[in-house]
Amino acid sequence: MQEGRTPIQETPEGVVRRLVAARAALPREEDLVLAFDADGTLWSGDVGNDLFETLIAESAVREEAREALIVEARAAGAKADGHTLDIAQGLYRALAEGTYEEARAFAMMAWVFAGFSLGEVAEFAGRVVASRGLEARLHRFLSPVLAWAEAEKVPVWVVSASPRWIVEIGVALLGIPANRVVAMTPRIQDGRIAAELVGRPVYGEHKPLALREACPGATLLGAFGDSSYDVPMLAASRVPVGVRPKAGLLARAAEIPSLVVLGT
């Protein structure tokens, strides 16, 4: 794509044709995958925000998260004393104001459930998915692409900066198995969430790296995203697709050869 060129608007069926053509140009023995961002791509809105906002609204932040939240607050120039809930709220404001680094913020939104068991956090996430109406927010126009991948046995992976447990519930609504989710994952200690992340944040340039670790040796046939921090993953694919792309992604379109746009 030449700098300044507007990405081509494509239909779901047109995207499938592009995937078929790109596949035909590769060796038959090649292992192929498709990768999708979650928030804004598979559905409208952000389930990580939904989850965090509900945690705050229910005053459910536990003291196990306090010390790590204080470290984050100091780094973001936010309030680092007072009630633990207030510190968490201050970090969310700092994110909105642009003083809290997004990669750190999205990681925090996963480990802020420190002290919860996996059963507790799964139940909490299930309630949020239901109360925030995620099923009605699904981008059903992607169905032809997902159906093609299933019929052709091309695995679909979801690579998200939101907490793993709510992404797993969301993608299940689209028939995508939990074991193909790469997302923010806190460490588990003695059966409970600890206030730190396992591995690198699944964000920006780390998205394609995390995907490569999950399915080593596979070729990224197609990638789908909506935001500027999906650019590295999109650029690494043979068929890059902006799904209802935000202005930040369109501003970086010149970095993604052959980018097409799907959805309005």
Side-chain angles (χ1 to χ4, degrees), residues 191-233:
R192 296 194 174 269
I193 292 168
E196 62 180 296
L197 210 62
V198 171
R200 60 173 62 89
V202 185
Y203 179 88
E205 64 185 12
H206 290 156
K207 279 195 164 189
L209 297 177
L211 178 65
R212 195 174 303 130
E213 289 174 355
C215 45
T219 294
L220 184 53
L221 180 64
F224 299 73
D226 73 303
S227 299
S228 60
Y229 49 81
D230 292 316
V231 167
M233 185 171 75

mmCIF file of all heavy atoms in Angstrom, residues 191-233:
data_model
loop_
_atom_site.group_PDB
_atom_site.id
_atom_site.type_symbol
_atom_site.label_atom_id
_atom_site.label_comp_id
_atom_site.label_asym_id
_atom_site.label_seq_id
_atom_site.Cartn_x
_atom_site.Cartn_y
_atom_site.Cartn_z
ATOM 1 N N GLY A 191 -3.906 -21.554 44.138
ATOM 2 C CA GLY A 191 -5.283 -21.597 43.666
ATOM 3 C C GLY A 191 -5.956 -20.242 43.537
ATOM 4 O O GLY A 191 -7.146 -20.174 43.211
ATOM 5 N N ARG A 192 -5.184 -19.166 43.759
ATOM 6 C CA ARG A 192 -5.777 -17.828 43.667
ATOM 7 C C ARG A 192 -4.928 -16.930 42.782
ATOM 8 O O ARG A 192 -3.733 -17.139 42.613
ATOM 9 C CB ARG A 192 -5.951 -17.200 45.063
ATOM 10 C CG ARG A 192 -6.940 -17.993 45.908
ATOM 11 C CD ARG A 192 -7.399 -17.272 47.145
ATOM 12 N NE ARG A 192 -8.443 -18.073 47.803
ATOM 13 C CZ ARG A 192 -9.730 -17.951 47.557
ATOM 14 N NH1 ARG A 192 -10.157 -17.048 46.698
ATOM 15 N NH2 ARG A 192 -10.607 -18.721 48.186
ATOM 16 N N ILE A 193 -5.578 -15.913 42.215
ATOM 17 C CA ILE A 193 -4.889 -14.989 41.330
ATOM 18 C C ILE A 193 -3.907 -14.140 42.130
ATOM 19 O O ILE A 193 -4.230 -13.648 43.221
ATOM 20 C CB ILE A 193 -5.921 -14.103 40.611
ATOM 21 C CG1 ILE A 193 -6.742 -14.968 39.636
ATOM 22 C CG2 ILE A 193 -5.243 -12.961 39.858
ATOM 23 C CD1 ILE A 193 -7.965 -14.282 39.096
ATOM 24 N N ALA A 194 -2.709 -13.995 41.594
ATOM 25 C CA ALA A 194 -1.693 -13.135 42.199
ATOM 26 C C ALA A 194 -1.624 -11.819 41.435
ATOM 27 O O ALA A 194 -2.035 -11.730 40.274
ATOM 28 C CB ALA A 194 -0.335 -13.835 42.177
ATOM 29 N N ALA A 195 -1.070 -10.810 42.077
ATOM 30 C CA ALA A 195 -1.061 -9.462 41.500
ATOM 31 C C ALA A 195 0.137 -9.266 40.567
ATOM 32 O O ALA A 195 0.916 -8.312 40.707
ATOM 33 C CB ALA A 195 -1.061 -8.411 42.604
ATOM 34 N N GLU A 196 0.267 -10.154 39.610
ATOM 35 C CA GLU A 196 1.296 -10.007 38.585
ATOM 36 C C GLU A 196 0.907 -10.848 37.374
ATOM 37 O O GLU A 196 0.139 -11.799 37.478
ATOM 38 C CB GLU A 196 2.667 -10.429 39.099
ATOM 39 C CG GLU A 196 2.757 -11.878 39.521
ATOM 40 C CD GLU A 196 4.156 -12.226 40.013
ATOM 41 O OE1 GLU A 196 5.109 -12.164 39.207
ATOM 42 O OE2 GLU A 196 4.275 -12.561 41.206
ATOM 43 N N LEU A 197 1.438 -10.458 36.241
ATOM 44 C CA LEU A 197 1.101 -11.105 34.982
ATOM 45 C C LEU A 197 2.048 -12.266 34.713
ATOM 46 O O LEU A 197 3.206 -12.244 35.128
ATOM 47 C CB LEU A 197 1.214 -10.083 33.849
ATOM 48 C CG LEU A 197 0.316 -10.239 32.624
ATOM 49 C CD1 LEU A 197 -1.152 -10.130 33.013
ATOM 50 C CD2 LEU A 197 0.675 -9.192 31.585
ATOM 51 N N VAL A 198 1.550 -13.274 34.001
ATOM 52 C CA VAL A 198 2.405 -14.330 33.474
ATOM 53 C C VAL A 198 2.870 -13.902 32.088
ATOM 54 O O VAL A 198 2.051 -13.606 31.219
ATOM 55 C CB VAL A 198 1.641 -15.668 33.369
ATOM 56 C CG1 VAL A 198 2.470 -16.699 32.604
ATOM 57 C CG2 VAL A 198 1.294 -16.195 34.751
ATOM 58 N N GLY A 199 4.175 -13.835 31.882
ATOM 59 C CA GLY A 199 4.692 -13.487 30.562
ATOM 60 C C GLY A 199 4.507 -12.018 30.229
ATOM 61 O O GLY A 199 4.184 -11.185 31.066
ATOM 62 N N ARG A 200 4.692 -11.713 28.939
ATOM 63 C CA ARG A 200 4.606 -10.330 28.458
ATOM 64 C C ARG A 200 3.149 -9.890 28.311
ATOM 65 O O ARG A 200 2.265 -10.723 28.119
ATOM 66 C CB ARG A 200 5.315 -10.204 27.112
ATOM 67 C CG ARG A 200 4.716 -11.093 26.032
ATOM 68 C CD ARG A 200 5.338 -10.802 24.675
ATOM 69 N NE ARG A 200 6.752 -11.071 24.630
ATOM 70 C CZ ARG A 200 7.293 -12.244 24.305
ATOM 71 N NH1 ARG A 200 6.513 -13.286 24.036
ATOM 72 N NH2 ARG A 200 8.588 -12.404 24.265
ATOM 73 N N PRO A 201 2.889 -8.583 28.387
ATOM 74 C CA PRO A 201 1.533 -8.094 28.112
ATOM 75 C C PRO A 201 1.150 -8.397 26.665
ATOM 76 O O PRO A 201 1.953 -8.218 25.760
ATOM 77 C CB PRO A 201 1.645 -6.577 28.341
ATOM 78 C CG PRO A 201 2.877 -6.381 29.144
ATOM 79 C CD PRO A 201 3.812 -7.478 28.748
ATOM 80 N N VAL A 202 -0.073 -8.868 26.455
ATOM 81 C CA VAL A 202 -0.544 -9.190 25.100
ATOM 82 C C VAL A 202 -1.085 -7.897 24.497
ATOM 83 O O VAL A 202 -2.280 -7.612 24.538
ATOM 84 C CB VAL A 202 -1.610 -10.298 25.140
ATOM 85 C CG1 VAL A 202 -2.005 -10.709 23.721
ATOM 86 C CG2 VAL A 202 -1.092 -11.504 25.903
ATOM 87 N N TYR A 203 -0.163 -7.119 23.951
ATOM 88 C CA TYR A 203 -0.498 -5.757 23.513
ATOM 89 C C TYR A 203 0.512 -5.312 22.475
ATOM 90 O O TYR A 203 1.710 -5.604 22.582
ATOM 91 C CB TYR A 203 -0.458 -4.807 24.720
ATOM 92 C CG TYR A 203 -0.764 -3.361 24.404
ATOM 93 C CD1 TYR A 203 -2.071 -2.896 24.424
ATOM 94 C CD2 TYR A 203 0.252 -2.468 24.092
ATOM 95 C CE1 TYR A 203 -2.353 -1.565 24.125
ATOM 96 C CE2 TYR A 203 -0.014 -1.143 23.806
ATOM 97 C CZ TYR A 203 -1.321 -0.697 23.822
ATOM 98 O OH TYR A 203 -1.606 0.617 23.531
ATOM 99 N N GLY A 204 0.038 -4.599 21.437
ATOM 100 C CA GLY A 204 0.930 -3.987 20.469
ATOM 101 C C GLY A 204 1.884 -4.983 19.831
ATOM 102 O O GLY A 204 1.493 -6.032 19.331
ATOM 103 N N GLU A 205 3.171 -4.660 19.875
ATOM 104 C CA GLU A 205 4.178 -5.500 19.219
ATOM 105 C C GLU A 205 4.285 -6.887 19.842
ATOM 106 O O GLU A 205 4.821 -7.816 19.223
ATOM 107 C CB GLU A 205 5.538 -4.802 19.266
ATOM 108 C CG GLU A 205 6.082 -4.604 20.664
ATOM 109 C CD GLU A 205 7.379 -3.811 20.682
ATOM 110 O OE1 GLU A 205 7.724 -3.227 19.646
ATOM 111 O OE2 GLU A 205 8.027 -3.756 21.754
ATOM 112 N N HIS A 206 3.772 -7.036 21.058
ATOM 113 C CA HIS A 206 3.817 -8.343 21.707
ATOM 114 C C HIS A 206 2.718 -9.284 21.218
ATOM 115 O O HIS A 206 2.777 -10.485 21.483
ATOM 116 C CB HIS A 206 3.708 -8.182 23.224
ATOM 117 C CG HIS A 206 4.927 -7.566 23.836
ATOM 118 N ND1 HIS A 206 4.889 -6.894 25.038
ATOM 119 C CD2 HIS A 206 6.214 -7.521 23.414
ATOM 120 C CE1 HIS A 206 6.104 -6.453 25.340
ATOM 121 N NE2 HIS A 206 6.914 -6.823 24.367
ATOM 122 N N LYS A 207 1.719 -8.758 20.516
ATOM 123 C CA LYS A 207 0.638 -9.628 20.039
ATOM 124 C C LYS A 207 1.142 -10.709 19.087
ATOM 125 O O LYS A 207 0.885 -11.896 19.307
ATOM 126 C CB LYS A 207 -0.480 -8.800 19.400
ATOM 127 C CG LYS A 207 -1.439 -8.176 20.413
ATOM 128 C CD LYS A 207 -2.707 -7.681 19.723
ATOM 129 C CE LYS A 207 -3.803 -7.427 20.733
ATOM 130 N NZ LYS A 207 -5.099 -7.158 20.095
ATOM 131 N N PRO A 208 1.856 -10.365 18.008
ATOM 132 C CA PRO A 208 2.335 -11.440 17.138
ATOM 133 C C PRO A 208 3.339 -12.354 17.822
ATOM 134 O O PRO A 208 3.415 -13.552 17.505
ATOM 135 C CB PRO A 208 2.964 -10.687 15.951
ATOM 136 C CG PRO A 208 3.212 -9.309 16.441
ATOM 137 C CD PRO A 208 2.162 -9.028 17.468
ATOM 138 N N LEU A 209 4.117 -11.830 18.779
ATOM 139 C CA LEU A 209 5.065 -12.670 19.511
ATOM 140 C C LEU A 209 4.327 -13.689 20.366
ATOM 141 O O LEU A 209 4.694 -14.871 20.408
ATOM 142 C CB LEU A 209 5.968 -11.800 20.390
ATOM 143 C CG LEU A 209 6.873 -10.796 19.668
ATOM 144 C CD1 LEU A 209 7.651 -9.961 20.673
ATOM 145 C CD2 LEU A 209 7.823 -11.518 18.724
ATOM 146 N N ALA A 210 3.286 -13.233 21.055
ATOM 147 C CA ALA A 210 2.499 -14.141 21.890
ATOM 148 C C ALA A 210 1.806 -15.208 21.050
ATOM 149 O O ALA A 210 1.714 -16.377 21.440
ATOM 150 C CB ALA A 210 1.472 -13.351 22.696
ATOM 151 N N LEU A 211 1.324 -14.804 19.874
ATOM 152 C CA LEU A 211 0.688 -15.771 18.976
ATOM 153 C C LEU A 211 1.703 -16.803 18.500
ATOM 154 O O LEU A 211 1.416 -18.003 18.450
ATOM 155 C CB LEU A 211 0.068 -15.042 17.786
ATOM 156 C CG LEU A 211 -0.588 -15.927 16.736
ATOM 157 C CD1 LEU A 211 -1.800 -16.652 17.316
ATOM 158 C CD2 LEU A 211 -1.003 -15.103 15.515
ATOM 159 N N ARG A 212 2.907 -16.348 18.165
ATOM 160 C CA ARG A 212 3.948 -17.263 17.687
ATOM 161 C C ARG A 212 4.323 -18.266 18.777
ATOM 162 O O ARG A 212 4.614 -19.438 18.492
ATOM 163 C CB ARG A 212 5.167 -16.459 17.250
ATOM 164 C CG ARG A 212 6.161 -17.251 16.399
ATOM 165 C CD ARG A 212 7.265 -16.339 15.886
ATOM 166 N NE ARG A 212 6.727 -15.225 15.128
ATOM 167 C CZ ARG A 212 7.058 -13.954 15.332
ATOM 168 N NH1 ARG A 212 7.925 -13.631 16.264
ATOM 169 N NH2 ARG A 212 6.540 -13.013 14.583
ATOM 170 N N GLU A 213 4.336 -17.827 20.017
ATOM 171 C CA GLU A 213 4.634 -18.743 21.120
ATOM 172 C C GLU A 213 3.521 -19.778 21.292
ATOM 173 O O GLU A 213 3.782 -20.932 21.647
ATOM 174 C CB GLU A 213 4.815 -17.953 22.412
ATOM 175 C CG GLU A 213 6.095 -17.133 22.456
ATOM 176 C CD GLU A 213 6.175 -16.249 23.680
ATOM 177 O OE1 GLU A 213 5.187 -16.203 24.454
ATOM 178 O OE2 GLU A 213 7.226 -15.595 23.877
ATOM 179 N N ALA A 214 2.281 -19.354 21.034
ATOM 180 C CA ALA A 214 1.139 -20.260 21.204
ATOM 181 C C ALA A 214 1.057 -21.294 20.089
ATOM 182 O O ALA A 214 0.629 -22.439 20.322
ATOM 183 C CB ALA A 214 -0.158 -19.454 21.269
ATOM 184 N N CYS A 215 1.425 -20.920 18.878
ATOM 185 C CA CYS A 215 1.370 -21.858 17.748
ATOM 186 C C CYS A 215 2.655 -21.731 16.937
ATOM 187 O O CYS A 215 2.645 -21.163 15.828
ATOM 188 C CB CYS A 215 0.126 -21.641 16.895
ATOM 189 S SG CYS A 215 -0.266 -19.925 16.506
ATOM 190 N N PRO A 216 3.774 -22.219 17.479
ATOM 191 C CA PRO A 216 5.072 -22.065 16.818
ATOM 192 C C PRO A 216 5.103 -22.728 15.449
ATOM 193 O O PRO A 216 4.564 -23.818 15.252
ATOM 194 C CB PRO A 216 6.048 -22.753 17.789
ATOM 195 C CG PRO A 216 5.199 -23.640 18.639
ATOM 196 C CD PRO A 216 3.868 -22.977 18.738
ATOM 197 N N GLY A 217 5.718 -22.037 14.510
ATOM 198 C CA GLY A 217 5.880 -22.578 13.172
ATOM 199 C C GLY A 217 4.726 -22.325 12.232
ATOM 200 O O GLY A 217 4.844 -22.558 11.020
ATOM 201 N N ALA A 218 3.604 -21.846 12.738
ATOM 202 C CA ALA A 218 2.434 -21.604 11.889
ATOM 203 C C ALA A 218 2.591 -20.296 11.114
ATOM 204 O O ALA A 218 3.211 -19.344 11.593
ATOM 205 C CB ALA A 218 1.161 -21.574 12.718
ATOM 206 N N THR A 219 2.015 -20.267 9.926
ATOM 207 C CA THR A 219 1.988 -19.052 9.102
ATOM 208 C C THR A 219 0.691 -18.297 9.363
ATOM 209 O O THR A 219 -0.394 -18.893 9.340
ATOM 210 C CB THR A 219 2.082 -19.408 7.610
ATOM 211 O OG1 THR A 219 3.363 -19.988 7.356
ATOM 212 C CG2 THR A 219 1.917 -18.174 6.733
ATOM 213 N N LEU A 220 0.801 -17.007 9.612
ATOM 214 C CA LEU A 220 -0.375 -16.179 9.874
ATOM 215 C C LEU A 220 -1.006 -15.805 8.536
ATOM 216 O O LEU A 220 -0.589 -14.855 7.874
ATOM 217 C CB LEU A 220 0.028 -14.943 10.675
ATOM 218 C CG LEU A 220 -1.089 -14.003 11.122
ATOM 219 C CD1 LEU A 220 -2.181 -14.747 11.873
ATOM 220 C CD2 LEU A 220 -0.521 -12.877 11.978
ATOM 221 N N LEU A 221 -2.014 -16.569 8.150
ATOM 222 C CA LEU A 221 -2.665 -16.362 6.861
ATOM 223 C C LEU A 221 -3.452 -15.050 6.843
ATOM 224 O O LEU A 221 -3.362 -14.270 5.896
ATOM 225 C CB LEU A 221 -3.595 -17.528 6.542
ATOM 226 C CG LEU A 221 -4.360 -17.447 5.215
ATOM 227 C CD1 LEU A 221 -3.398 -17.469 4.037
ATOM 228 C CD2 LEU A 221 -5.382 -18.578 5.112
ATOM 229 N N GLY A 222 -4.252 -14.810 7.885
ATOM 230 C CA GLY A 222 -5.051 -13.590 7.963
ATOM 231 C C GLY A 222 -5.116 -13.083 9.379
ATOM 232 O O GLY A 222 -5.095 -13.879 10.328
ATOM 233 N N ALA A 223 -5.148 -11.764 9.533
ATOM 234 C CA ALA A 223 -5.278 -11.152 10.854
ATOM 235 C C ALA A 223 -6.335 -10.068 10.793
ATOM 236 O O ALA A 223 -6.469 -9.370 9.778
ATOM 237 C CB ALA A 223 -3.953 -10.580 11.333
ATOM 238 N N PHE A 224 -7.072 -9.917 11.897
ATOM 239 C CA PHE A 224 -8.216 -9.016 11.961
ATOM 240 C C PHE A 224 -8.098 -8.171 13.226
ATOM 241 O O PHE A 224 -7.949 -8.701 14.329
ATOM 242 C CB PHE A 224 -9.520 -9.829 11.998
ATOM 243 C CG PHE A 224 -9.734 -10.702 10.794
ATOM 244 C CD1 PHE A 224 -8.989 -11.863 10.600
ATOM 245 C CD2 PHE A 224 -10.683 -10.365 9.834
ATOM 246 C CE1 PHE A 224 -9.178 -12.670 9.479
ATOM 247 C CE2 PHE A 224 -10.883 -11.165 8.717
ATOM 248 C CZ PHE A 224 -10.127 -12.315 8.538
ATOM 249 N N GLY A 225 -8.174 -6.852 13.069
ATOM 250 C CA GLY A 225 -8.085 -5.973 14.226
ATOM 251 C C GLY A 225 -8.742 -4.640 13.933
ATOM 252 O O GLY A 225 -9.089 -4.339 12.785
ATOM 253 N N ASP A 226 -8.888 -3.827 14.976
ATOM 254 C CA ASP A 226 -9.587 -2.554 14.816
ATOM 255 C C ASP A 226 -8.789 -1.350 15.284
ATOM 256 O O ASP A 226 -9.163 -0.215 14.996
ATOM 257 C CB ASP A 226 -10.921 -2.583 15.571
ATOM 258 C CG ASP A 226 -10.719 -2.515 17.081
ATOM 259 O OD1 ASP A 226 -10.003 -3.393 17.633
ATOM 260 O OD2 ASP A 226 -11.258 -1.601 17.719
ATOM 261 N N SER A 227 -7.694 -1.567 16.024
ATOM 262 C CA SER A 227 -7.007 -0.460 16.689
ATOM 263 C C SER A 227 -5.551 -0.353 16.265
ATOM 264 O O SER A 227 -4.982 -1.284 15.684
ATOM 265 C CB SER A 227 -7.056 -0.651 18.211
ATOM 266 O OG SER A 227 -8.384 -0.668 18.678
ATOM 267 N N SER A 228 -4.936 0.771 16.600
ATOM 268 C CA SER A 228 -3.538 0.986 16.240
ATOM 269 C C SER A 228 -2.630 -0.056 16.875
ATOM 270 O O SER A 228 -1.600 -0.417 16.303
ATOM 271 C CB SER A 228 -3.096 2.395 16.651
ATOM 272 O OG SER A 228 -3.235 2.577 18.046
ATOM 273 N N TYR A 229 -2.992 -0.563 18.068
ATOM 274 C CA TYR A 229 -2.120 -1.568 18.682
ATOM 275 C C TYR A 229 -2.311 -2.959 18.106
ATOM 276 O O TYR A 229 -1.668 -3.912 18.546
ATOM 277 C CB TYR A 229 -2.240 -1.564 20.211
ATOM 278 C CG TYR A 229 -3.618 -1.595 20.813
ATOM 279 C CD1 TYR A 229 -4.329 -2.786 20.950
ATOM 280 C CD2 TYR A 229 -4.199 -0.431 21.305
ATOM 281 C CE1 TYR A 229 -5.582 -2.804 21.537
ATOM 282 C CE2 TYR A 229 -5.454 -0.449 21.885
ATOM 283 C CZ TYR A 229 -6.136 -1.634 22.002
ATOM 284 O OH TYR A 229 -7.390 -1.663 22.574
ATOM 285 N N ASP A 230 -3.155 -3.078 17.070
ATOM 286 C CA ASP A 230 -3.221 -4.323 16.300
ATOM 287 C C ASP A 230 -2.306 -4.278 15.078
ATOM 288 O O ASP A 230 -2.168 -5.285 14.374
ATOM 289 C CB ASP A 230 -4.661 -4.588 15.832
ATOM 290 C CG ASP A 230 -5.598 -4.899 16.979
ATOM 291 O OD1 ASP A 230 -5.205 -5.677 17.872
ATOM 292 O OD2 ASP A 230 -6.724 -4.362 16.996
ATOM 293 N N VAL A 231 -1.678 -3.127 14.818
ATOM 294 C CA VAL A 231 -0.872 -2.968 13.604
ATOM 295 C C VAL A 231 0.220 -4.030 13.478
ATOM 296 O O VAL A 231 0.381 -4.627 12.402
ATOM 297 C CB VAL A 231 -0.287 -1.539 13.520
ATOM 298 C CG1 VAL A 231 0.806 -1.448 12.454
ATOM 299 C CG2 VAL A 231 -1.395 -0.540 13.228
ATOM 300 N N PRO A 232 1.012 -4.329 14.529
ATOM 301 C CA PRO A 232 2.056 -5.338 14.354
ATOM 302 C C PRO A 232 1.507 -6.709 13.954
ATOM 303 O O PRO A 232 2.118 -7.407 13.127
ATOM 304 C CB PRO A 232 2.735 -5.387 15.725
ATOM 305 C CG PRO A 232 2.502 -4.027 16.304
ATOM 306 C CD PRO A 232 1.112 -3.677 15.856
ATOM 307 N N MET A 233 0.380 -7.102 14.516
ATOM 308 C CA MET A 233 -0.212 -8.399 14.165
ATOM 309 C C MET A 233 -0.745 -8.375 12.738
ATOM 310 O O MET A 233 -0.559 -9.329 11.972
ATOM 311 C CB MET A 233 -1.319 -8.758 15.155
ATOM 312 C CG MET A 233 -1.903 -10.149 14.942
ATOM 313 S SD MET A 233 -3.033 -10.645 16.277
ATOM 314 C CE MET A 233 -4.487 -9.648 15.895
#
